[in-house]
Amino acid sequence: MNLRSSWVATTGQTREDTRLTQMGATTPADPIQVRSGILPGTYDGLYRLGGFWLSGDAGAMTATVHEGRAVIQADSGQGAYPVTLPEQLKLTFADGNASYDRIDMVILHVYDDMYDKSGFNKVEVEVVTGTAGPTPVPPALPKICLPIYQVTVRHGASAGSGGIHWDTDVTDLRTPVVAIGGILPAVGETGTGAYPGQYRDFGGALQRWDGSMWVSYPSALGGIAPSGAVNTATYTGQYRDTSAGLQRWNGSAWVSYQPNWTDYTPVWGAEAGTAPSIGNGTLAGSYVKINNLVHVRIYLKIGSTTNLSAQASDGRWTFSLPAPPNSKQAWKLDHRSLSMEAFDASALLLYQGSGQLSVTNGIGYVHGMRDSIKLATGLWGKSLPFAWASGDTLSIHGTYESAS
């Protein structure tokens, strides 16, 4: 017999049987049971799972099951059965039904007469033939077995009609097991962990079972979890990489740690007289807000229909901010300012100035704009620091602390 086992036959177990099948305690499922599955490993080390690999014969109804080792868990009081196939084994599938498809299962089947009253004490690699029908389903399986492949046998399939479509109609059901404490190479669905501290290699990332979920190991270390590895954070301050950039868990939500600039439209006002109207000019702003740190930039370009003539000569311009500055402590707002540059397009002159921050009715503004070095005597408006005209620009920029 090709398939070897230990502690099944009542007599005749050889030392060779014992050497081939002893593989140590494997991945636990609970305190007294282990996970059924295939021991990993390949000859060239290129793949996670090579044991009991099924290769079909082209245009035929036959396939080869390659050598491997496995463990099959029975009832908790019955124990687990280690099995080994030390050499290749040939399988033959029945021809297809004339009218309907069917689903066959390839299994490792343990016969133990003490429990199943089968009259046998052995292990076999078997094909369990399904029932053909309009909507075929997998066949019922014996109690002590390990399904390793599902094969769809198309209607009319035979060696003379092209056989089984091995490339498209075979589903690999093998899952791995390793020695207890070892890192499980995840193939297919490995399910929940058996104990906190269990590890698995999943999708190229090392993961740890924390008692309720698999957590990517980099995040457990405090490193940046790779993109797609973490959906639910496990602690405040955890970082993850996403397509939108780096994010940090603040205790209730993922917050962009390196956010992009966000556009907004400032409100252009005046402290006296008619409020400015941009007309065909340009008024735009953008900002980056990281917690209560705000970087802001405002851009104004005078157009030919901007209402300069309607504005008061001492209108003293103001511009709204994307978030109100912190005014809870007086010193945080007192004479805090943003930088600005006014460009006279006709004279090709650049004027440098600054504007103070303020809060009115919960809205933040920059106002009181004037030359950084006292040249003009008044605050900037339609006449200062020069007579504004079409094509002239004003840039306001800087950083401040927001109220929240």
Side-chain angles (χ1 to χ4, degrees), residues 1-6 8-9 14 16-18 20-21 23 38 51-52 65-72 81-91 106-111 121-126 144-146 148:
M1 176 186 295
N2 290 326
L3 196 63
R4 304 292 187 91
S5 67
S6 58
V8 174
T14 67
E16 186 178 58
D17 290 331
T18 305
L20 285 171
T21 56
M23 55 196 70
I38 311 296
F52 293 94
V65 178
H66 294 261
E67 57 270 31
R69 295 187 297 165
V71 60
I72 304 170
Y81 296 82
V83 298
T84 298
L85 180 65
E87 56 191 31
Q88 298 176 5
L89 177 68
K90 208 73 170 179
L91 291 179
V106 180
I107 66 172
L108 305 182
H109 184 185
V110 176
Y111 293 85
N121 292 291
K122 62 178 183 177
V123 184
E124 298 282 357
V125 180
E126 297 177 343
I144 313 175
C145 75
L146 177 63
I148 56 175

Side-chain angles (χ1 to χ4, degrees), residues 38 49 105-106 146-150 171-175 187:
I38 311 296
L49 207 57
M105 300 292 290
V106 180
L146 177 63
I148 56 175
Y149 281 93
Q150 177 178 297
T171 302
D172 190 348
L173 303 178
R174 297 173 302 159
T175 56
V187 177

Side-chain angles (χ1 to χ4, degrees), residues 183-207:
I183 297 173
L184 186 68
V187 177
E189 177 51 52
T190 58
T192 60
Y195 54 90
Q198 183 180 2
Y199 287 88
R200 72 175 184 179
D201 182 358
F202 182 81
L206 190 62
Q207 294 184 331

Side-chain angles (χ1 to χ4, degrees), residues 30 32-33 73-80:
D30 58 39
I32 58 173
Q33 297 187 99
Q73 176 67 52
D75 289 341
S76 58
Q78 192 171 335

Side-chain angles (χ1 to χ4, degrees), residues 37 39 86 135 140 148 179 188 197 201 231 237 239 243 252 259 269 308 319 340 375:
L39 272 71
T135 307
I148 56 175
D201 182 358
N231 291 321
Y239 288 87
S243 58
S252 60
L308 292 173
F319 295 88
M340 55 188 64
L375 297 175

